[in-house]
Amino acid sequence: MEIRELSIDEVEEALLLIKEVFLATEAKECTPGGVSVFLDSLKVSDFIAMIREEQYILLGVFDEEDRFAGVLGARGGFLALLFVSLGCMGRGYGKRLYRFYEDRLLSGEVAYSKISTNSSLGAVSFYEKLDFYSTGDQEQIHGIPFVSMEKMLSREDGYTISKT
């Protein structure tokens, strides 16, 4: 297994994985309009522009045969996307991918005090196992239901990190 930042050449394949998993798992929670909104947000050119402008990171985890097993997308301390391929779910890829992202935040120049995400309804328990907690009730925007969640970050020495 390998986890690394994705190259520009890998963005399209990563977005295809996200689309496939979304349609098979989360789309049933959304209105038809919500499905369209989500799929319309997966424009390769937009992701490439955000990555080039260093506004966004796209991480990938690869299985033993060097195939995409999962993708994580984030803007600083906001976890925007975390999808694991259908054949790799339940094998720890998502957890390892998340931990890689968290470690990266903890070791970076900018210190973050928390990570936040808008979890799909089906992923709430996954995030709770990673010590995230809900910050409000279920919401829906543009036909996409979610639960806002956060996790406080701290270094191993027990001191909480504050954003500078």
Side-chain angles (χ1 to χ4, degrees), residues 18-79:
I18 291 167
K19 178 181 178 180
E20 175 188 355
V21 175
F22 172 81
L23 289 172
T25 60
E26 296 178 24
K28 64 182 175 274
E29 301 170 352
C30 303
T31 66
V35 172
S36 294
V37 166
F38 184 83
L39 295 177
D40 288 346
S41 76
L42 299 178
K43 290 188 176 89
V44 173
S45 59
D46 291 348
F47 276 83
I48 289 173
M50 289 187 298
I51 292 167
R52 284 193 172 138
E53 294 168 9
E54 298 182 5
Q55 297 175 355
Y56 201 84
I57 61 166
L58 203 55
L59 304 173
V61 60
F62 298 83
D63 68 12
E64 296 74 24
E65 296 175 21
D66 202 34
R67 293 178 301 211
F68 266 112
V71 178
L72 182 150
R75 284 180 210 95
F78 183 76
L79 176 56

